[in-house]
Amino acid sequence: MNRRQVLGAAAVVAAAGVVPAAAAAADASAGDSPTLPKSTEFNRFDFGQISPQVVRGGGTVKECTGKNFPVLQGNDAASFLLVLKPGAVREPHWHPDAWEMDVPLSGRGRLGVVNPDDTYSVQEILPGQIGFIPQGYAHYIENVGTEELRWVVVFNNTQPDDIGLSTTFAGMPTHTFTDTFSLRRGGLARANKPDETLFIVEPT
């Protein structure tokens, strides 16, 4: 191959984009940076950098909503980090304005759901699996393992509402529950009637 042929071959290689690694790296470093202005909005949220909004003896809840993660605003999304100690229960509750998707990170959790057709389901949800609760369905989460349970809970509402069983009991006359459960009047006199939602309860 003479000099003219060598130069011609080099030109073909360059035109095809097949260039030596050193030259390619130089070209990449020169023109690889984005040219758009950098956004002031972040797309990452660190649960480890916030304090829990709910703290109980049996566990905690950290909330990621449009209030502390602005990118969620207008996108119908929120995420909570639920931590339960062994034996603790995320009390029976429902979300009137959101469905819920549960993503286990660690531990053994049990999810129970009550359906509108007078049926129920109970299943263990482990890391690598997910649980799903349709909007408005009553449900509970229980740590049935021997180690701490950690679940990420996702909602399709930036600020999901929550109505717990403790909230319902606290907000209605006690006799409506004794009548519902066929108890004598005064049968729930010693029951704890809180002045706020309990969220997380422990075995008595």
Side-chain angles (χ1 to χ4, degrees):
M1 180 179 291
N2 58 34
R3 184 172 181 274
R4 179 176 296 178
Q5 290 172 320
V6 171
L7 292 175
V12 170
V13 170
V18 183
V19 294
D27 289 343
S29 62
D32 192 50
S33 299
T35 56
L36 297 176
K38 188 173 182 179
S39 173
T40 58
E41 192 170 67
F42 288 95
N43 298 85
R44 179 184 65 197
F45 185 85
D46 189 350
F47 278 113
Q49 297 300 312
I50 67 170
S51 299
Q53 284 85 352
V54 177
V55 179
R56 300 290 187 268
T60 60
V61 178
K62 291 184 177 183
E63 301 179 358
C64 170
T65 69
K67 291 182 178 180
N68 56 4
F69 194 30
V71 72
L72 294 180
Q73 294 176 6
N75 284 288
D76 295 332
S79 183
F80 291 4
L81 177 62
L82 171 67
V83 178
L84 293 178
K85 294 180 180 179
V89 175
R90 172 67 173 98
E91 69 162 316
H93 64 284
W94 57 96
H95 306 286
D97 55 2
W99 51 248
E100 173 180 321
M101 183 176 292
D102 300 324
V103 184
L105 302 179
S106 63
R108 284 181 56 210
R110 177 182 294 152
L111 171 66
V113 181
V114 176
N115 305 308
D117 62 356
D118 293 339
T119 63
Y120 76 96
S121 71
V122 178
Q123 50 270 303
E124 284 194 19
I125 311 288
L126 302 175
Q129 304 172 336
I130 62 169
F132 183 82
I133 304 100
Q135 180 173 325
Y137 284 31
H139 57 286
Y140 70 91
I141 299 167
E142 181 178 8
N143 184 346
V144 295
T146 58
E147 62 182 74
E148 190 175 76
L149 176 147
R150 295 169 61 85
W151 281 17
V152 170
V153 182
V154 180
F155 304 97
N156 66 324
N157 190 312
T158 309
Q159 202 68 44
D161 288 326
D162 178 291
I163 302 176
L165 185 59
S166 62
T167 317
T168 307
F169 184 48
M172 296 184 178
T174 303
H175 77 265
T176 61
F177 288 86
T178 56
D179 293 348
T180 298
F181 299 128
S182 300
L183 299 173
R184 61 176 177 80
R185 289 296 176 96
L188 292 173
R190 295 186 178 182
N192 176 32
K193 199 159 188 177
D195 56 6
E196 63 177 353
T197 301
L198 297 179
F199 283 101
I200 298 170
V201 296
E202 297 179 273
T204 56

